[in-house]
Amino acid sequence: MERDEWRKLSLLEAKRLLDSGQVGALELTNACIEAMEASRNLNIFITETPENARLQAQESEKKLKNKEGGVLEGIPLAIKDLYCTKNVRTTAGSKILENFVPPYESTVTQNLLDAGAVFLGKTNLDEFAMGSANITSFFGPVISPIRSTQNPEKSLVPGGSSGGSVAAVAAHIAFAATASDTGGSIRQPASFTGLVGIKPTYGLCSRYGMVAFASSLDQAGPVAKTVRDAALMLSVMASYDEKDSTSLKGNRPDYLKNLNPSAKKLRIGLPKECFENLSDELKVVLESSCQTLRDLGAEFVDISLSMLKYSLPCYYIIAPAEASSNLARYDGVRYGFRAENVGNIADLYAETRRLGFGKEVRRRIFIGTYVLSQGSYEAYYVMAQKVRSKIRQEFEETFQRVDVILTPTATCGAFGVEEGPKMSAVDMYLNDIFTVSANMVGIPGISIPAGTTQDGRPLGIQFLGARFSEQTLFNVSAAFEDATRLKN
Ligand code: GLN
């Protein structure tokens, strides 16, 4: 196999080559670094860390030789630039953190390092993870490595906010990447780029060291080329962490070891609300997906989620409210960007925030401040929280009757980079119509590739499950992946 072909393997295939000594960790890392440097036109990385990567790979090589390697020993990964990485700049895609170098490591990235992973660099994202197309980053948009077959010159968005992470994996620069999901930022970009992405149960992965957007909704998770790769990644990323007060106690299972690819007798709920007004292309993909699952022995149950339509409006009250509070810390005093030539402290705050935050972030701060202000608090914030409990209740009741719920991940395939800025804010928000509920309710959701549009742009389907049903989601997804790969 050619050196440049290695990086096109799945993570598990690369792991086999590394573990058996057929490929050296440094050689593999160098191939990925070359690919990273050759793809700079896609603007995938905000910070490249090739020197660190080579040092880590050399360490891994020693460990692999002595058969002391961790489960990800020598595997090159990309890290969303929202995870604090010790002594490596972490920007969250914002000017306000342009020069921020954290003195500590996030728990999730520490877990990956402990397992022997090699970090290639920090990937681009929508500013503070607010967006669905990776066009709000201070560092410019990410261009997807995926192209339409009919219009190959046109640049497409990779989805967002984890656009750099999915692009790094889809371009075969990294074998997998970390991402984060507050309303869909793992699953929608995975759908746009033909990858697997899972947002786990709230509290499964530690949020310590992740730049906060909306604390009751944010969750870490991986994007990967295959279901099995994602299962391995999540097994390493997830852990109980006393440094995060919302981290759930208890051991995390090894999702890969326990994998049982099957959909036999699985009760899959089809919410009628998610199958209305879909494009013909999406309908075709969903129908064939259902057929595949039926052939695998799944049973379908027609369900209705009448509260679903309230998820998105409530999300856009709760997420900005939490964001306005979380982002209050960026005041130009303690760290990050600071405005110059200001006369007094009030002007320092105002100017720093006006110049340091982009338009979308400022919009969210305005909305959040408004819905939390006296006079609006009861009408908006408290009401949204009440509706959130109702949504949760409806999901809990539904999971008495079905094992998983199937929906499309997004309403469409990737759109053009030029089209993004022309969309209204609300049209952009509508990208997350099928994904936000999982965050509102705290349940896991996985997006897996299910087909393409007529011009070859990937389309994903999503499985949602009750809290802690990650293993079930991996099992049905692996069965689906095996069946569809065989078909192709
Ligand atoms: N697109 C959604 C938003 O802009 C979700 C983003 C996310 O999951 N981080 O809020």
Side-chain angles (χ1 to χ4, degrees), residues 161-178:
S161 64
S162 312
S165 286
V166 289
V169 181
H172 299 291
I173 294 168
F175 287 96
T178 63

Side-chain angles (χ1 to χ4, degrees), residues 80 129-132 160-161 180-185 213 315-316 364 432:
K80 184 173 183 177
M130 297 174 188
S132 306
S161 64
S180 69
D181 193 310
T182 304
S185 278
F213 164 8
Y315 171 87
Y316 275 100
R364 307 273 179 126
D432 301 308

Side-chain angles (χ1 to χ4, degrees), residues 145-221:
I146 308 285
R147 301 260 152 181
S148 133
T149 49
Q150 274 161 31
N151 200 352
E153 317 73 48
K154 181 171 164 178
S155 293
L156 300 175
V157 300
S161 64
S162 312
S165 286
V166 289
V169 181
H172 299 291
I173 294 168
F175 287 96
T178 63
S180 69
D181 193 310
T182 304
S185 278
I186 291 176
R187 292 160 287 158
Q188 181 256 20
S191 172
F192 276 18
T193 51
L195 297 178
V196 176
I198 180 163
K199 180 208 89 78
T201 303
Y202 182 78
L204 197 87
C205 290
S206 168
R207 289 185 296 111
Y208 177 74
M210 282 169 76
V211 177
F213 164 8
S215 303
S216 78
L217 302 156
D218 295 344
Q219 252 305 287

